[in-house]
Amino acid sequence: MNMQKFEIEQLNLFYGDVQALKNININIAELQVTALIGPSGCGKSTFLKTLNRMNDLIPGVRITGNVFMDNENIYGQCDIVDLRKRVGMVFQKPNPFPMSVYDNISYGPRIHGVRSRSRLDEIVEKSLRDAVLWDEVKDRLKKSALGLSGGQQQRLCIARVLAVNPEVVLMDEPTSALDPISTLKIEDLIDELKQNYTIIIVTHNMQQAGRISDRTAFFLQGEIVEFDLTEKIFSRPVDKRTEDYITGRFG
C-alpha cells in the first residue's frame, strides 16, 4: 500500500476573476506515477504548479483550500526555496542553462551549499546516470549543454532536477517537443525513477498516460471528472465524459 505524498482538499485557484481550478480533492500516492490528462486549458498545468507554488509567481493569483505534502500544508508557513528543492519541475520545452553540461547539473547543489569539488563530481555523475545520460555526455561535460540534441537536453533537465535530491518530480508534457525515440527514452526513464521519486506528469498523449502511469486524473474545465487506477480509467471509466475523451469522441 503506497503512502499518500499529497492530500489536496477543496483547492480553488483564480486568475483575477477567472476560476481555473474548481474544488479539487485528490490524494497522490508516493513512489507512483500519476498522470493528468484532459483537453488544453482545462487546468492540468495550473494544478501541477500548485504543488510547488509556481503559481505564486503570477500576479493576481488567488488560491483557497489546502495542499498537504507529508501532512504539512504547503500553503501555510512554508519555506518556498526548500519546497522547490523537494518538488522539482521539468518543463515542456527543454531549458538547459547556457553553460556547460557539468555546470547545469552542479548549479542547484552549489546554490544549496555544496562546495566540495569531489562531492559535486559525484552528484553530477550520479544525476546523469540516473537520467540515463552519463554514457552519452561523459566526454563532453565541459562543453555547452546547448550543443546536445533535444532529447538529451530534456534528460539533462531531468538530471538537473535530480541533482538537488528532490522527493517529487513534476513534469509538464516533458516529451511533447521530442521525437518518438527520445520520447520512449524518457518514458523508460520515468519508469526507473518511480522507484525513488513520486512523479506527476501532465500529458496530452493518451497512449503515454496508459503506458507509464499508475493512476490517472481526467481534468475538464478546471475540475477533476474522474481519478482512478490508470487501467480502470482506460478500460472501465465511470463517467461518460472520460470515455468520450479517451476514445477521441470529444469536443
Side-chain angles (χ1 to χ4, degrees):
M1 179 65 192
N2 286 64
M3 302 286 292
Q4 302 303 340
K5 189 68 182 171
F6 287 101
E7 295 176 29
I8 291 119
E9 301 170 346
Q10 293 175 323
L11 178 70
N12 295 284
L13 183 142
F14 302 83
Y15 295 117
D17 296 333
V18 178
Q19 188 166 3
L21 294 177
K22 299 169 190 163
N23 200 25
I24 303 288
N25 293 282
I26 184 176
N27 289 346
I28 295 175
E30 193 169 63
L31 303 183
Q32 284 196 346
V33 178
T34 300
L36 312 178
I37 62 169
S40 292
C42 66
K44 306 181 299 289
S45 295
T46 298
F47 172 70
L48 196 70
K49 290 174 187 157
T50 60
L51 302 178
N52 67 350
R53 293 189 55 172
M54 287 284 279
N55 291 315
D56 290 22
L57 306 170
I58 302 167
V61 161
R62 190 161 60 78
I63 295 174
T64 65
N66 296 315
V67 177
F68 293 100
M69 176 178 173
D70 297 336
N71 299 319
E72 178 196 355
N73 190 353
I74 65 170
Y75 284 89
Q77 294 298 314
C78 167
D79 178 337
I80 292 190
V81 173
D82 182 56
L83 175 68
R84 292 194 186 135
K85 176 175 178 289
R86 292 170 64 199
V87 185
M89 182 143 191
V90 178
F91 295 91
Q92 188 167 358
K93 257 177 86 76
N95 58 347
F97 303 135
M99 48 177 78
S100 72
V101 170
Y102 185 98
D103 288 340
N104 261 274
I105 307 294
S106 61
Y107 183 85
R110 281 191 177 121
I111 283 181
H112 291 288
V114 179
R115 294 279 172 269
S116 143
R117 180 66 193 212
S118 62
R119 180 77 189 108
L120 287 170
D121 288 350
E122 274 171 31
I123 291 171
V124 168
E125 178 171 343
K126 181 179 187 316
S127 305
L128 288 167
R129 281 190 188 282
D130 286 352
V132 197
L133 190 58
W134 174 253
D135 289 338
E136 294 166 56
V137 302
K138 62 176 191 258
D139 300 325
R140 48 194 294 188
L141 295 176
K142 296 278 167 277
K143 295 205 168 84
S144 169
L146 302 178
L148 299 176
S149 73
Q152 288 173 325
Q153 287 187 13
Q154 193 61 300
R155 278 180 286 147
L156 179 79
C157 293
I158 293 172
R160 192 172 68 195
V161 165
L162 301 182
V164 297
N165 205 13
E167 298 160 33
V168 179
V169 181
L170 308 178
M171 297 185 170
D172 194 356
E173 295 195 54
T175 61
S176 64
L178 303 181
D179 63 87
I181 290 170
S182 301
T183 295
L184 208 58
K185 282 188 173 166
I186 299 237
E187 289 184 7
D188 288 344
L189 171 57
I190 289 169
D191 207 45
E192 290 285 302
L193 292 176
K194 77 170 185 185
Q195 315 295 322
N196 298 305
Y197 306 93
T198 301
I199 296 174
I200 304 156
I201 179 169
V202 168
T203 177
H204 265 118
N205 181 328
M206 290 300 117
Q207 289 75 25
Q208 181 170 73
R211 284 192 297 265
I212 63 171
S213 68
D214 300 288
R215 289 174 180 272
T216 296
F218 171 48
F219 277 75
L220 193 57
Q221 296 171 330
E223 299 181 75
I224 294 182
V225 171
E226 194 165 344
F227 174 56
D228 212 323
L229 295 170
T230 296
E231 57 189 315
K232 191 156 176 291
I233 289 273
F234 280 87
S235 60
R236 305 185 299 284
V238 175
D239 193 296
K240 175 100 173 61
R241 292 169 297 175
T242 312
E243 187 182 346
D244 288 350
Y245 183 70
I246 285 166
T247 54
R249 285 200 299 269
F250 199 83

